[in-house]
Amino acid sequence: MLGIKVELIDKIGMHSSDTAMIFLEDVKVPASHIIGEEGMGFTYQMLQFQEERLWAGAAAVVPFYKIIRDTAEYCGQRKAFGQPVLSNQSVYFRLAELATEVELLRSLLHKATAQYCMGHNVTKMASMVKLKAGRLAREIPDACLQYWGGMGFTSDVLVSRFYRDFRILSIGGGADEVMLSIIAKEMNILPSKKK
């Protein structure tokens, strides 16, 4: 298309979602095609972040439980040293701990979503949801993949896909460090910048 150039970006994960750089040169947009008020794009983007951050948590909860459940089932069948891997206390304790973390995320997500639906400012809670979801997105697939052994390093099992694809949760919609800054600001503990 004249004036529009699209360059697809190759990513390590999320292959079902195209990511691209779009370049517009001398492209005219008719006034009837403008969404919202002209010049308000950045403001609209900032306002939608709370919904995106809540979505990040919501989109992760069920897959987190699935990864843990699939890993427990696999470890119940996989044998090492003559016994199922799941019979090791360190394995079933770790899976129980991960399930507890997911339940805590789910509870925070429900509370934040309820507050959002009532029209309350959920900047702090949505940032906490996003932060926790992003951190669990690294911790759960990594821990579970370890229990799959060499099979976990193949593309044949779902845990390896989650290991790749979920990494974006700590980056997209605001990195962990951005979430921590927002939370600190909302707690009134963010140091002021001296000029």
Side-chain angles (χ1 to χ4, degrees), residues 54-67 102 105 109 129 132-134 136-137 140 162 166 169:
L54 292 174
W55 173 86
V61 169
V62 170
F64 286 162
Y65 279 127
K66 179 162 181 45
I67 294 169
V102 177
L105 170 63
L109 172 65
V129 165
K132 190 62 174 174
L136 289 177
I140 292 172
F162 287 147
F166 275 14
L169 284 181

Side-chain angles (χ1 to χ4, degrees), residues 20-189:
M21 291 190 295
I22 302 174
F23 301 92
L24 307 172
E25 280 189 42
D26 298 322
V27 175
K28 296 183 189 222
V29 178
S32 62
H33 287 72
I34 294 175
I35 299 171
E37 190 178 325
E38 186 175 351
M40 292 294 292
F42 180 78
T43 302
Y44 296 148
Q45 179 64 37
M46 293 301 104
L47 291 172
Q48 75 81 37
F49 269 136
Q50 304 325 313
E51 292 174 0
E52 182 177 349
R53 290 167 183 161
L54 292 174
W55 173 86
V61 169
V62 170
F64 286 162
Y65 279 127
K66 179 162 181 45
I67 294 169
I68 295 166
R69 185 178 58 249
D70 287 359
T71 300
E73 288 175 10
Y74 181 74
C75 288
Q77 299 165 5
R78 180 178 174 221
K79 296 207 176 196
F81 306 107
Q83 63 180 2
V85 172
L86 191 60
S87 66
N88 291 294
Q89 186 181 55
S90 63
V91 175
Y92 63 79
F93 271 13
R94 182 69 172 130
L95 294 175
E97 182 181 5
L98 293 173
T100 301
E101 293 291 326
V102 177
E103 187 59 26
L104 291 169
L105 170 63
R106 190 187 69 77
S107 295
L108 178 59
L109 172 65
H110 279 233
K111 180 179 179 180
T113 302
Q115 293 290 313
Y116 178 78
C117 289
M118 289 188 284
H120 298 287
N121 178 354
V122 295
T123 301
K124 181 172 137 184
M125 279 194 289
S127 298
M128 288 175 167
V129 165
K130 167 81 169 53
L131 176 69
K132 190 62 174 174
R135 291 196 168 170
L136 289 177
R138 295 193 310 270
E139 184 180 4
I140 292 172
D142 184 67
C144 290
L145 191 143
Q146 187 72 21
Y147 297 137
W148 285 77
M151 195 65 190
F153 203 65
T154 70
S155 296
D156 294 338
V157 294
L158 195 56
V159 70
S160 66
R161 179 177 171 196
F162 287 147
Y163 184 83
R164 288 187 320 270
D165 290 353
F166 275 14
R167 185 59 178 90
I168 192 67
L169 284 181
S170 282
I171 302 167
D176 286 1
E177 295 77 11
V178 173
M179 297 304 99
L180 289 166
S181 292
I182 291 169
I183 295 164
K185 182 180 177 187
E186 292 290 318
M187 293 172 64
N188 293 316
I189 61 171

